[in-house]
Amino acid sequence: MDVTINVNGTDYIRDIEPRMLLVHFIREELGLRGTHWGCDTSNCGTCVVWVDDEPVKSCTMLAVMADGHRVKTVEGLEGPDGLDPIQQGFIECHGLQCGFCTPGMMMTGRWLIDKNPDISEEEIREGISGQICRCTGYKNIVEAIRWAAEHPKGSEVTA
Amino acid sequence: MQTPAPVDYARATSVDHALQLLEQHGEDARVIAGGHSLIPMMRLRIASPTTLIDLNDLDELKGIRVEGNEIVIGAMTRHAEVLDSAILAEHYPIFREAEKLIADPVVRNRGTVGGSMCQADPSEDLSAVGSALGGTVVIRSKSGSRTVPIREFHFGPYMTQVADGEILTEVRFPIRPGAGSAYEKVERRVGDWPVASAGVFVVVRDGVVSDCGIGLTAVGAEHFSAPGAEEFLVGKAPTEENLAQAAAIAADSCSPVSDQRGPADYKKHLAQELTLRALRRAVAASQGA
Ligand SMILES: Cc1cc2nc3c(=O)[nH]c(=O)nc-3n(C[C@H](O)[C@H](O)[C@H](O)COP(=O)(O)OP(=O)(O)OC[C@H]3O[C@@H](n4cnc5c(N)ncnc54)[C@H](O)[C@@H]3O)c2cc1C
Ligand code: FES
Ligand code: FES
C-alpha cells in the first residue's frame, strides 16, 4: 500500500505492508536508527516519536495509520542553530549512560516542556512514567529536562 | 520481534463509511481506534483481523459535551482529553482520578474511551467508572442506532453487545447535581493495569444517601458493578459503619481469580478497602457540594 509520511519535514513515499509498525518503517524503510525499539509490549517507551506534535509509542501504531501525517523523530530535534535545548540538557546533566532510552526520553521531554515551560520535577517524573531507563535511575534525566526548560530555544546555550 | 499477521487497511471518512467498510470486508474485519489494545494483541497473534478499519479521522466521534442533563463522550475521545476535561472535572472527578492512573501519558495520547469499552478487558479501568455512573452506550449499525444500559454492555471478559457490522459511537452519563465521586486503584507499578480498582458516586441529601453507584474492576464483579451494596446504602445515613458494611457487601459479591497480579484473597481485601476509601471521599465531596 502506498503511503506518504512526512518525517522531520521531508515527505517519504513508500509502498509498505499495512502490518508494518511505525517504528520499523522509521528504522528499516527510512534508515533513521535514532528511534529505538525495545520491548514489544508497549511498556519501555524508547520508540517514542511525535505524530502531529504529540508523543506516541511507535511500536504500537501501524505505519499506514501515519499516512498523510507528520512524524518527528530524535533526528528532527536539531535545528539550523545546532542542538535543541533538550539535547543540550542531556549533555549538561549527564542524562544518559548507555543511551538506549534517550531518544524516547528526549521526544517526551521536549513535548512536556512545550506544554508547560515551567514544569516541576514531579510533573516530569509523571510525564516520563511510561518510559524505562535501566541505567540512570532517572535523576539525571529529570534534571536534563529541567535544564532544557530553563534554557528555552533561542536563549544563550552553553556549549 | 513480534509482527502482526498480514492485514488489509482502510481508513473511514465518516461513521457511515466505516459501517459500509465493515459490511464490505466481512466478519473478520475489525475497527481500530487507538490501537493500544488491538495492536499488542495482533503482535502476539491473539488477534488476526483480515482488515482494519481506521476510525482515527472521525472527528464526529471525538469530544466531550453536555446535552440536556447528560454528558456525552464520543467513542474516539482519547484518554488524555478525558483527563483534561473541564466538564468532567466539574461533574465527575472520578474520571480525572481514574485517568491519572490509566497507563501513562504517552499511551493516553492514543487510547480511546470507545476502545477501552469495546476491548472489555476484565481489568479495564473505564469499565468500572462506567458501571459506577450507570448511563448508556450508543451503538450504530447500517440500520440505525440503539442504546444499551452500560451495565448490560459487557457480558463477559472481552465480550460486549457490539455485534458484527456495528460501531460504538458514544457513551452517555446522567448529570446528578450534588454528587460526589472518587476512584481508588492499586497497581503493581506506575502505569500498570489494576490489581483492583473501585469507583463510586454518592449523592447525600438531608443526611441520607439518596443515590449511589459502585463500580469495580479486575476483581470479577459481574458487569463491573455491586448492586447489592448500592441497595444497602441508599436511604441510610453515610456513617462509617454503613459505608464499611456496603464495602463488605461489594467485596462479597466479587469473584477474583489468582494470577500474576496477586492472589484472590488479597484482591478481595482490596475490593473492600478501595470501595470503602472511595465511598468516604465521595460522601465528603457530596456533603461539601
Ligand atoms: C502499556 C499500556 C498500559 C495500559 N494500562 C492500562 C490501565 O492501567 N488501565 C486500563 O484500563 N487500560 C490500560 N491500557 C489499555 C488502554 O486503555 C487502551 O488504550 C484501551 O484499552 C483500548 O483503547 P484503544 O483506543 O487503544 O482501542 P483499540 O486497541 O483500537 O481497540 C480495542 C478493541 O475495541 C474495538 N473498538 C475500538 N473502538 C471501537 C468502536 N468505536 N466501536 C466498536 N469497536 C471498537 C477494536 O476493534 C478492538 O477490538 C493500557 C495499554 C497499554 C498499551
Ligand atoms: S518498543 Fe515501543 S514501548 Fe517498547
Ligand atoms: S541510559 Fe541506558 S537505558 Fe537509559
Side-chain angles (χ1 to χ4, degrees):
Chain A
M1 191 180 153
D2 283 334
V3 294
T4 305
I5 304 179
N6 184 291
V7 181
N8 302 327
T10 305
D11 276 337
Y12 293 93
I13 302 169
R14 290 287 189 281
D15 180 13
I16 57 166
E17 279 191 85
R19 64 170 164 164
M20 178 178 263
L21 301 171
L22 180 58
V23 64
H24 298 315
F25 176 84
I26 292 166
R27 289 176 54 86
E28 312 305 328
E29 284 291 321
L30 306 187
L32 295 171
R33 302 294 174 93
T35 301
H36 293 165
W37 161 64
C39 70
D40 261 343
T41 61
S42 312
N43 280 295
C44 76
T46 192
C47 65
V48 169
V49 301
W50 288 10
V51 176
D52 297 335
D53 306 321
E54 275 189 346
V56 166
K57 292 181 176 176
S58 63
C59 70
T60 316
M61 184 167 173
L62 298 170
V64 281
M65 295 172 83
D67 185 18
H69 290 268
R70 279 176 298 116
V71 172
K72 184 166 167 172
T73 69
V74 69
E75 290 91 345
L77 284 175
E78 190 175 347
D81 310 327
L83 294 180
D84 185 281
I86 193 79
Q87 296 172 299
Q88 194 64 39
F90 275 73
I91 297 172
E92 299 292 332
C93 303
H94 198 69
L96 63 141
Q97 289 178 33
C98 80
F100 194 73
C101 69
T102 314
M105 293 292 183
M106 285 184 177
M107 296 314 289
T108 302
R110 179 73 255 166
W111 173 70
L112 290 171
I113 331 175
D114 285 350
K115 275 208 312 179
N116 179 5
D118 195 26
I119 191 163
S120 69
E121 178 185 332
E122 201 187 317
E123 288 164 330
I124 293 172
R125 285 187 181 273
E126 201 212 332
I128 60 170
S129 62
Q131 296 170 234
I132 294 171
C133 176
R134 287 285 159 186
C135 305
T136 65
Y138 302 97
K139 188 168 184 295
N140 289 2
I141 294 175
V142 175
E143 280 173 13
I145 298 173
R146 264 306 306 166
W147 188 95
E150 283 158 14
H151 297 79
K153 276 178 205 168
S155 75
E156 208 65 52
V157 172
T158 45
Chain B
M1 163 167 156
Q2 298 170 354
T3 305
V7 65
D8 287 331
Y9 173 87
R11 200 178 281 185
T13 53
S14 67
V15 174
D16 288 331
H17 184 219
L19 292 168
Q20 182 198 323
L21 287 168
L22 270 178
E23 185 179 68
Q24 184 184 325
H25 289 279
E27 57 180 294
D28 290 328
R30 286 276 270 285
V31 298
I32 184 161
H36 272 55
S37 288
L38 187 50
I39 292 174
M41 285 169 65
M42 288 173 64
R43 282 189 312 224
L44 292 166
R45 310 239 174 158
I46 298 169
S48 298
T50 50
T51 306
L52 289 175
I53 295 157
D54 188 344
L55 304 183
N56 280 281
D57 279 0
L58 304 190
D59 290 341
E60 58 188 301
L61 295 185
K62 292 176 190 164
I64 300 162
R65 63 183 193 277
V66 173
E67 236 182 67
N69 56 0
E70 284 188 313
I71 295 171
V72 186
I73 307 181
M76 286 303 295
T77 308
R78 317 265 176 204
H79 290 302
E81 192 180 340
V82 174
L83 176 63
D84 288 340
S85 162
I87 294 176
L88 293 175
E90 179 190 342
H91 295 283
Y92 287 123
I94 183 175
F95 276 103
R96 198 182 152 69
E97 293 185 6
E99 284 289 1
K100 257 188 109 62
L101 301 171
I102 292 177
D104 59 72
V106 176
V107 169
R108 293 198 292 261
N109 281 339
R110 291 297 293 175
T112 65
V113 172
S116 295
M117 293 298 293
C118 293
Q119 179 64 22
D121 187 294
S123 304
E124 208 85 45
D125 282 298
L126 283 184
S127 299
V129 175
S131 255
L133 297 182
T136 52
V137 170
V138 181
I139 299 169
R140 215 157 110 187
S141 68
K142 289 204 89 173
S143 54
S145 277
R146 63 195 179 96
T147 299
V148 176
I150 255 185
R151 289 193 178 179
E152 290 166 26
F153 180 70
H154 296 109
F155 53 88
Y158 309 104
M159 289 186 290
T160 75
Q161 295 274 359
V162 179
D164 289 343
E166 290 190 320
I167 290 176
L168 183 155
T169 54
E170 60 192 31
V171 193
R172 310 178 74 100
F173 298 103
I175 293 174
R176 301 179 177 92
S181 63
Y183 199 76
E184 292 280 344
K185 169 171 171 175
V186 166
E187 50 192 356
R188 291 173 301 178
R189 55 169 194 277
V190 171
D192 195 19
W193 294 83
V195 181
S197 302
V200 309
F201 87 85
V202 179
V203 183
V204 183
R205 199 164 284 149
D206 303 327
V208 294
V209 174
S210 64
D211 197 4
C212 79
I214 299 175
L216 291 147
T217 195
V219 289
E222 215 175 315
H223 302 296
F224 300 96
S225 65
E230 297 163 357
E231 262 165 53
F232 168 82
L233 205 52
V234 170
K236 293 201 174 60
T239 59
E240 176 68 16
E241 204 181 4
N242 283 334
L243 301 187
Q245 181 67 25
I249 296 171
D252 242 11
S253 67
C254 298
S255 330
V257 291
S258 299
D259 60 13
Q260 78 280 9
R261 286 192 214 133
D265 57 346
Y266 172 55
K267 293 184 184 181
K268 206 153 186 152
H269 166 76
L270 285 179
Q272 180 165 348
E273 183 59 28
L274 298 180
T275 303
L276 178 57
R277 288 182 196 176
L279 282 172
R280 279 188 196 129
R281 289 200 295 114
V283 163
S286 178
Q287 285 172 329

